[in-house]
Amino acid sequence: MAAPFIDELPQAAAIAAYISMGTEIQTLPLLRHILRSDRRVLVPRLGSGMEIGWSEIADVEELDQLTDMPRRASGGLRPQEPTDTVTLPPDALAEAACILVPAFAIDNRGIRLGRGAGWYDQALIHRDPQSTLLGICWPWEQREEPLPAHDHDVPVHGILTTDSFGLL
């Protein structure tokens, strides 16, 4: 649903996106579309704890070779990550014209609830202020009522679900 929006971004644009896991909407089809449209894809490298890093996925073949990461000491899952790429610093996010972020809920103001660890809140400090933030959630996670917000929350500019895409 977001393909037309993505296709309007400059050819040289980098797009930062996450690799879905668990019950999240599958992002791999969208990542394949982005790569086939000759745009750069940056994906998170979680490191340990709250470390922030990024890796560039160069092509669909590299996307297909993502590696399952070991569980955290707490037993929590980790998303797949590329293993044969350089980990870029946090400020690599500033290269992204569009940033796709996961959400468990997004309200009409663009406030989103994530997993609660604050990883994206920390990462978004390094974004280009002109970049477009798109939250991805299931249709039933789009909320009319305001969600709780904190000073460090960065509202998204649009919402992508399995049924719709719209800018706020």
Side-chain angles (χ1 to χ4, degrees), residues 48-122:
S48 62
M50 293 297 289
E51 292 175 27
I52 299 168
W54 299 90
S55 282
E56 183 171 343
I57 296 179
D59 53 41
V60 173
E61 291 76 30
E62 194 173 323
L63 186 67
D64 292 338
Q65 295 174 7
L66 294 173
T67 302
D68 288 331
M69 299 306 290
R71 288 183 178 266
R72 287 182 249 165
S74 65
L77 293 175
R78 291 176 54 117
Q80 294 178 313
E81 293 182 354
T83 55
D84 295 333
T85 61
V86 173
T87 299
L88 303 171
D91 60 0
L93 186 61
E95 299 174 26
C98 180
I99 303 168
L100 306 173
V101 296
F104 286 130
I106 304 174
D107 70 17
N108 292 335
R109 302 172 299 158
I111 300 298
R112 75 171 188 90
L113 296 180
R115 292 187 175 273
W119 193 90
Y120 269 98
D121 294 322
Q122 297 256 339

Side-chain angles (χ1 to χ4, degrees), residues 27-59:
T27 56
L28 291 179
L30 182 55
L31 295 177
R32 282 187 182 88
H33 174 82
I34 294 167
L35 288 166
R36 287 185 180 124
S37 70
D38 289 328
R39 286 166 178 84
R40 296 174 50 221
V41 172
L42 300 174
V43 295
R45 292 298 296 264
L46 297 184
S48 62
M50 293 297 289
E51 292 175 27
I52 299 168
W54 299 90
S55 282
E56 183 171 343
I57 296 179
D59 53 41

Side-chain angles (χ1 to χ4, degrees), residues 131-150:
S131 63
T132 300
L133 302 178
L134 301 178
I136 300 178
C137 66
W138 293 103
W140 54 88
E141 294 173 329
Q142 206 170 343
R143 304 292 170 87
E144 296 287 328
E145 70 277 359
L147 293 170
H150 302 283

